[in-house]
Amino acid sequence: MSEEQHDVVLTVNGTAHPVSVPARRLLSDALRHDLGLTGTHVGCEHGVCGACTVLLDGRPVRSCLLLAVSAQDGEIITVEGLANADGSLGPVQQAFLECHGLQCGFCTPGFLTTITAGLRDNPTPTHEEARDMIAGNLCRCTGYQNIVRAVERAAELARDGAPHAQVPHPPEPEAGQLEFEDRDDDNASTGLGA
Amino acid sequence: MTTKLMGQKVQRVEDQRFLRGQGRYVDDVASGQDVLHAAVLRSPHAHARILDIDVSKVLDVEGVHAVWTYDDLTGPMAEPLPLLIPHPALTHGRTQYALAKDEVNYAGEAVVFVVADDRYVAEDALDRIRVDYEVLPPVVGIPAARAADRLVHDDVPGNVGARLEQQVGDARAAIAQAPHRLTLDLTVERSSCQPLEGRGTVARWDPDLNRLQAWTSTQTSTGVRAAIAVKLQLDLGQVDVITPDVGGGFGVKINHPWPEELLVPLAAKTLGRTVKFTEDRREHFISTAHERGQVHHIEVGFDDDGRLLGLDVEFWHDHGAYTPYGLIVPIITSTQLLGPYKPQSYRVVFESLYTNTVMVTPYRGAGRPQGCYAMERTMDAIADYLDRDRTEVRAVNFIQPDEFPFDQGLVFQDGRELEYDSGDYPASLEKLKTLVGWDEFPAYQQELAAQGRRVGIGLACYVEGTGVGPYEGAHVHIETSGKVKVATGLTTQGQGHATVFAQLVADELGVRFEDVEVVTGDTRRMPYAVGTFASRAAVMSGSAIHLAAKRAREKVLKIAADALEVDELDLQISDGVVSVKGAPDSSIDLGTVSVLSNPLRYAFDEASKAATQFSVGDPGKPPVAEDDEPGLEGRDFYSPERATFASGMHAVVVETDPETAEVKILKYAVVHDCGNLINPMIVEGQIHGGVAQGVGGALYERMAYDESGQLLNASFMDFLMPYVTEVPDGIDIDHLETPSPLNPLGIKGAGEAGVIPSAAVFAAAIEDAERVALPGLTITAMPISPSDLFGLRATHRQESS
Amino acid sequence: MKPAPFDYRRPGSLTEAVAALAGEPGAKVLAGGQSLVPLLSMRLAAPSMLVDINGLPGLDTITADDTGVTIGALARHADVLASDEVRRVQPLVPMALAHVAHATIRNRGTTVGSLVHADAAAEMPVVLSLLGGSLDVEGPGGRRTVPAAELYVGPMECSVHHDEIAVSAHFPALAPGAGVAFDEVARRHGDYALVGAAALVDGKSVQVGYLSVADVPTVVDLSGVPDDRLGDVALEHLDPGDDIHATSDYRAQLVRVLTARVVRSAREGGAR
C-alpha cells in the first residue's frame, strides 16, 4: 500500500519546482532531496538548532517544522539564493568571510538566512540587537563572537552599497477591521468573510 | 618579495563553498542519485536480554530492501567491534557487536538494521519490528557501579574495567608529614560533543572495479578504511574512504568503526546499491558517546607557602557500557591533572567503571577538564586555608621557565614520557592578571557588595599535551599547470586545514596561496595517516606538509638550476616563478619545471611544448636518474619523539543573583600559549568555540540519566547547549608564544584549549561571589545550575546554623 | 526522526475544514505546526490525518478596539507582537509573546494554536486565563465561545472538541487605571520557563497567573495579601514540580521572586 503523493509547486529562489511528495515530507527534506538544494542543513529536526532556517515569504522559519505541502503557496529563499546574480558573495556572506564567522559551516546557512532577513528589517542594529538577531540559532564551533561581528560588518557592507540579493519583505498581514462581522451571517464558502 | 603567510590572518578558502551552501557533507553525497537509506532499531532498555526479534511484519512494508539482525552477520562482522587502544591495565575491556547479540547494555544500542527506499519508509519498518526483551536491572551512575550490587557484564567483577596507578615519589608519606593537609571530594557530570552534524556513512560497491567507496563523517579516514577492510574481508587496497565536509566532530567522530560504518558498506556490497545512513539527533544522544563523568577524592599536603609536598588523587571514571577507546580519557586525567605544577610527590590511581549507559570516548579536552578541575579546586582550597592570594599559591608551584624540558615522571596517553618541552607559566599568569584586572578586583567586589550584589572572580591554569604521534604524512605535487596539489591523510571538521596548510606550502614553495589546493582525509590521496584528535593536526600534518613541501622545493631548485645553468644557491622562488637572484629575467615557472621533471615522449599542451626550449640533464645519463623519480612531488612524514605542551590560563568574573541564583558572566579572559601561530584568526576562533563549550559544560549541560538508565534529555530542548545569549559578550584574549623545539615550525596544538579550564574557573568564580554573603560556601560538583546553587545555599545555611 | 504517514487535507473553507475533522476521528488541525510537527517527527503523535488550515482566507486578522484584542487563528505570534494596536489595548499580550520561543518560531507559530495546545508551561494560555479571555470555535453545530475559565481542563488538554476549529481568541482590553506585567525565568534565552508569572492589578484586585508550576494554567487571587506574603500565599495554590532543570524548592523560590516582581511592576504600570 503506497503512500498518497501530493503534487505541489515549491517556489524556491525564484524558480517554481513541481514536486510530488507524501504529505509527511518535511520541507527540509524536500529542499534537500527532492530539489537537490543541499545547502539547507538538518541539525536536530525539532526546531531548536536553526540550521534548517530558510525564508518563507521573507521571514525566517524552521524548514524542519514545515511540511513541504504546507509551504506550497509561499516564496522560499534558501542559502543558495543569497549570493549575487553574478555569483559573488552578498554582504552577509562577505562579512562572514571577513570575520571568520564560520568553522565547520554546518549551522551557517541558517544564520545567513536569518541575518539577511534581520538586516533587511533592521539595517542599523545596535550591538544588543545584533546579538538578539542571532539568538535563536545554535553554533557549536565558533562560540558566536565572530558571528556577532559578522552581523555588524554585514550591516556596514550593506550600508556601503554592497550588492546583495533582493530579499522581499514579508507581506503585510490583513489590515484589522474596526468592527466584527455578524457571526450569524457566516458565509459557508468563505469562512469569516472576504 | 612575497610576504610570509605564516602568522597571517588569511581568509579561509573553505568559506567560498560553505557560504554559498555548496559544502558537501555526508548526507549531501550521492544527492540526486539512486540511493537506499538505512535506519536502526535501538534498544529502549538500558540492560536486557534479547529473547526474540520478529521482523516478519517488516516485509509487508513496500520499499524495504533488507532487514538484518545479529543472526545475519557472519565472519568478522559477527565478532565484537575492535577494542582500538588496548592497555595492560584494561584487564576487562568490552566492545559491542555491530548488532546486539543476545543482550543489550545501554538504551540506544543497535539491534536491527533496515535498508529502504527512503528514511521515512525505513522508520516505518522499524515501527513494525517486535523485540522481546527480558529487562534486567541496570547499573547507573558511579556510586551504583562502585557498589556493584549488580553487574553490567556478568564476567566483569565489580564493574571494574581497569585500575591504573602511577606515582612519582611517596605521596602518602609526604602528605602524612606535611605541615598542612586537606581533603577534597569532587564530582563532574557527563556532557557530550554534540556537533551540529551527526554521524553518517554512504557506501557504494563498484563491481567493475571491485572496489568499495565509502564516505563517512569521521575524524579518521584511515581508521575506518582499515576497519571496513578487516570486517568485510576485503583487501585494504579495495577500499577507499573519503571524508566529506564534516559538520563538527569535537572528538566523538574519532571513535570507529561505528556499527553503521560497517553495516552500510556491507549493505552496499550485498544489495549492489548505494546505501546511506544519516543519524538523527536523538540517535546522536543515545548511540554515540558521552564524556566527562568522574568522581575524585584528593588528599594534599602542603607547606606554609602552599607548595605541594604530596598530592594523592583517587578517581572513578564512568566509561559507560563498552570500552572501544580504551583508557585514554582517564589516563589523560591522571597525567594532565598536574597542569603547570611540580608537586614534590604525586600518586594517582583510577578505576574505570562500567555502567549501563552510552559509552564514553574523548570529547574536546578528553579528560583534561576533569584533571584541571581537580587540581585547580585543590589550589583554591589551599589558598583559602592559608588565607593567601590564589595566584600566589599557584605561582609557588609553577615549573619555572628555566626548568624545561621538564619530566613529570609519568607515562602519557601516547605511551611516552610526560615531558613538557617549553612554556612560561609565570609570564602567562602576569598577563592574565593584567588582562582580567586581578589586583583591582577585591575593591570592585567590596564596592558591589555594599550595593547588595555578589560578584566573584576565578582563575584556572592548564597544560595540554598536543601533537601526539605516531605520525602524519603529506604529499605535495606541483602540476604542469603550476598548481600545487597537497594531500594529508588526517581530517577536517571546521579547523580550516585547507587554509592553514596552504599557507605553509605557499611559504615554503614560494607559490601564490591561490594556487595551492589541499585535500584532507581521502585515503586515495594519502593512505598513511592516523587522524584528527588531541589537537594534533597543525603540529603533525603541518610539520609533515612543511617537510614535504621542502622536498618538493629541493627538486624544483635542482631541475631549475640545471635548466637555467646556475647554481641552486643562486635561485629564489616567488609567486610560482623560479628566478636567479639579482637577474629576474633569467627565470622559469614552476609549471615548466614540472614538465621538465617528467620526460615524456609526447607534448600534450602548450606548457609541454614551451618546456622544450630548456634542455636539462646529461645526454650521457638516463633521463630519470637512478635515485630519482619522474614528476615534481614531495612526500614526507613527521613523527615526533613526544607530545608538545601548550598551556593557558583563564579567568572569569561572574555575578550571582541573591534571589534567583542565576549566574551572569561579566568578563572572560584567556591567556593562551600554543607556540608559533600559523593563522591567528583561526586560533582565536578555536578559543572562542572552546570557551563556549566550556560555558555550556560548566553551567548548562549534563546528561540526565534516570535510575532505569533512560537518558531524559536526549534532545536539544532539554540538553542545554548555549546560544549567543549564554556566552560572554566578548572574550579578552592575550597570547604568549613559547615555540616548541620538537617540530620544524615550533607550533603547538590549539584545538581543545578553550574548554579545558571551564569547570574549574566557573566553580572558583561562583564560589568567590557567593562567599561575599555566605562565607565558606564551597562548590564541589559541576556543572552548576541556578537550581543547584540555590540548593547549595540552603544546605550551607543549614550547616552553618 | 520522520513522521509516520498521515492523510492530508488543505480545505478552502472553514466548513470544509470542520467536516474533514468530523469525518476522521484521528484527524488534527495543522496551523503553525511549531508544537505539532516535532511531536510528529518524534512519533510521539501519529494522527491519521492533518487538516491544514493555512489556506483558509481571512483567519489571520488582528483587531483591537475598546473591548480588547481579537486574534485570528492564522495570525502569527510575530505579527501579534509587532502590532502597535495590540500593545496599546492590551500590553500584556506582547509582554508575554516576547518570551515565546525565538523570533523564527514566532514567525510561523500562531497565538491561537498555542492557546489550543494548552501547555501549562506556555505563556499565552495563562495570559488568556488571567485576562478572562475566550476562544471562538467553529464546529459542525456552528460557532460557540469558550471562556478561558472553561478552556483548560487537564494537562495539555483543552475543551475544544475534536471536530471544532478555534477561529479566534479574544483578550479583553486593559481597563483604565489597571496595570499588567509579565516575567519568567528560563535556563536559556527562549527556553520554556522554569517558572513564569503574569499579573493584573486593578485597584485592590491583584490576580497573578502562573506557568510551569501546575498541570493547567493557574490564576491565583492575591487581592489583599501583604506584599511580603504574596509568594507564599500563591504557593498554597500551586504545585511546583521537580525535573531535571530545577527542584520544586527552587521553583517555589522563583514563584516568590517573580510574584513580587510582577505585582510591583503591574502596580507601577497601572499608576501611570
Side-chain angles (χ1 to χ4, degrees), chain A residues 153-182:
Chain A
R153 178 68 183 138
E156 260 171 34
L157 288 172
R159 273 201 298 280
D160 294 346
H164 59 281
Q166 290 306 313
V167 172
H169 284 265
E172 291 294 316
E174 277 189 37
Q177 299 133 278
L178 290 176
E179 266 132 38
F180 296 113
E181 54 279 86
D182 186 344

Side-chain angles (χ1 to χ4, degrees), chain C residues 178-192:
Chain C
V180 285
F182 186 93
D183 201 356
E184 70 175 49
V185 171
R187 286 289 276 131
R188 295 173 303 183
H189 177 81
D191 279 346
Y192 275 108

Side-chain angles (χ1 to χ4, degrees), chain B residues 520-532:
Chain B
T520 62
D522 186 337
T523 61
R524 300 169 304 173
R525 294 285 302 272
M526 173 47 81
Y528 292 105
V530 183
T532 301

Side-chain angles (χ1 to χ4, degrees), chain C residues 95 179-182 259-270 272:
Chain C
M95 281 177 195
V180 285
F182 186 93
T259 305
R261 280 191 198 163
V262 295
V263 169
R264 181 170 54 243
S265 187
R267 282 202 177 113
E268 283 163 15
R272 268 189 266 101

Side-chain angles (χ1 to χ4, degrees), chain A residues 24 26 29 32-33 38-39 41 43 46 48 87 89 93 97 100 103-106 127 131 135 140-142 144-145, chain B residues 12 19-21 25 27-28 120 124 192-193 281 363 494 685-686 688-689 693 701 716 722-724 728-730:
Chain A
R24 59 173 168 161
L26 301 172
D29 288 333
R32 291 178 50 74
H33 301 296
T38 56
H41 299 146
H46 34 275
V48 177
L89 298 177
Q93 295 159 311
L97 174 68
H100 187 39
Q103 292 181 24
C104 81
F106 199 76
H127 183 70
R131 285 172 69 82
R140 199 59 163 163
C141 293
T142 67
Y144 306 103
Q145 307 295 330
Chain B
R12 300 192 335 160
L19 291 169
R20 291 181 169 83
Y25 302 85
D27 192 55
D28 306 334
Y120 291 72
D124 294 342
S192 68
C193 303
R281 185 53 50 181
Y363 163 27
Q686 292 296 312
H688 292 166
Q693 272 181 316
E701 299 168 14
F716 283 166
Y723 292 98
V724 66
D729 184 1

Side-chain angles (χ1 to χ4, degrees), chain A residues 24 29 45 59-60 70 183, chain C residues 1-3 52 79 107 136:
Chain A
R24 59 173 168 161
D29 288 333
E45 262 169 351
R59 293 187 176 184
S70 204
R183 288 169 189 171
Chain C
M1 298 177 302
K2 312 296 182 189
D52 184 342
D79 292 321
N107 282 340
D136 266 17

